[in-house]
Amino acid sequence: MRIQLNPEKCTGCQICEAFCSFKKERAVWPARSRISVLKWEKEGVFIPFVCQQCERAACYEVCPVGAIARNEETGAMEVDESRCLGCKMCVTACPFGGVAYDPDRGRAIKCDLCGGQPECVKMCPTGALSFEREEKNALARKRQGAERLAKYIDAIGR
C-alpha cells in the first residue's frame, strides 16, 4: 500500500501538511510534515510529494547504520530515530524528495503511513491523495504521471 498522488485534484490548500504535522508533532507545523506541496500559485500548479514506499528504497540502501527498515505490517519504510545518525544520506538519495531532515532533532523524518491509516489521505478535501494497493498496471500509471509532470513543467516555464 502506498499514498497515490493526483496533482490534478490538488488545490494547494496544504491541509495534508497541517494534519500530518499535527499527527506527528502535536503542532500545526508544515515544515515538519512528512508530505509537502510544491506550489506555483501564479500558474495554478500544485504538486504533492510524499515517500513512495519504494520496493527497492534508495534511502534504505544508503543508510550506513540500518536506521531505515520496512514495517512488515504496514509496508512503510520507517526511520528508527534512535539509530539515525542524521547524516542526511537518505535525504540526498531519495529521487522523490520523500525524506526530510529535522534540524532540531538532527534526524531524518519521512512518511510512515500513520500505522496504515495516513492522516493526510483522510483529511484531503479534494481526493488528491488516496491510499491504495500498488496497481497491477503500475507502468501505465507511471506513464500518466510523467505526462502530467511534463504538462506542469510546461506550465511553469522550465
Side-chain angles (χ1 to χ4, degrees):
M1 301 280 290
R2 66 182 203 143
I3 297 172
Q4 302 288 337
L5 310 169
N6 186 341
E8 292 178 356
K9 291 183 176 180
C10 183
T11 61
C13 68
Q14 297 178 291
I15 287 174
C16 54
E17 294 178 354
F19 277 91
C20 174
S21 61
F22 189 76
K23 172 102 179 184
K24 297 299 180 188
E25 305 294 334
R26 295 287 169 226
V28 176
W29 193 2
R32 294 294 189 275
S33 173
R34 277 62 172 171
I35 187 169
S36 59
V37 179
L38 295 183
K39 301 170 93 172
W40 289 267
E41 291 186 41
K42 184 177 170 189
E43 293 81 6
V45 175
F46 309 102
I47 303 175
F49 283 88
V50 70
C51 174
Q52 294 298 295
Q53 311 299 340
C54 300
E55 199 62 37
R56 187 171 169 209
C59 59
Y60 166 81
E61 303 222 357
V62 300
C63 183
V65 295
I68 298 177
R70 187 167 310 276
N71 178 322
E72 295 303 325
E73 259 184 54
T74 65
M77 296 300 290
E78 297 180 350
V79 177
D80 180 345
E81 290 190 18
S82 68
R83 297 180 74 181
C84 179
L85 299 174
C87 67
K88 303 182 197 173
M89 289 183 65
C90 55
V91 176
T92 303
C94 179
F96 304 107
V99 185
Y101 178 73
D102 180 340
D104 294 332
R105 293 187 199 124
R107 302 288 184 252
I109 57 174
K110 63 176 289 312
C111 174
D112 63 2
L113 300 176
C114 297
Q117 298 182 3
E119 195 74 7
C120 58
V121 172
K122 286 193 283 186
M123 297 302 171
C124 179
T126 64
L129 307 174
S130 57
F131 190 51
E132 302 172 5
R133 290 201 176 279
E134 190 72 33
E135 293 181 16
K136 289 181 181 175
N137 197 0
L139 181 60
R141 190 169 175 100
K142 288 177 183 174
R143 186 168 289 136
Q144 288 172 345
E147 289 170 3
R148 282 193 302 252
L149 186 58
K151 184 179 91 181
Y152 296 136
I153 290 171
D154 278 348
I156 60 174
R158 302 203 178 187

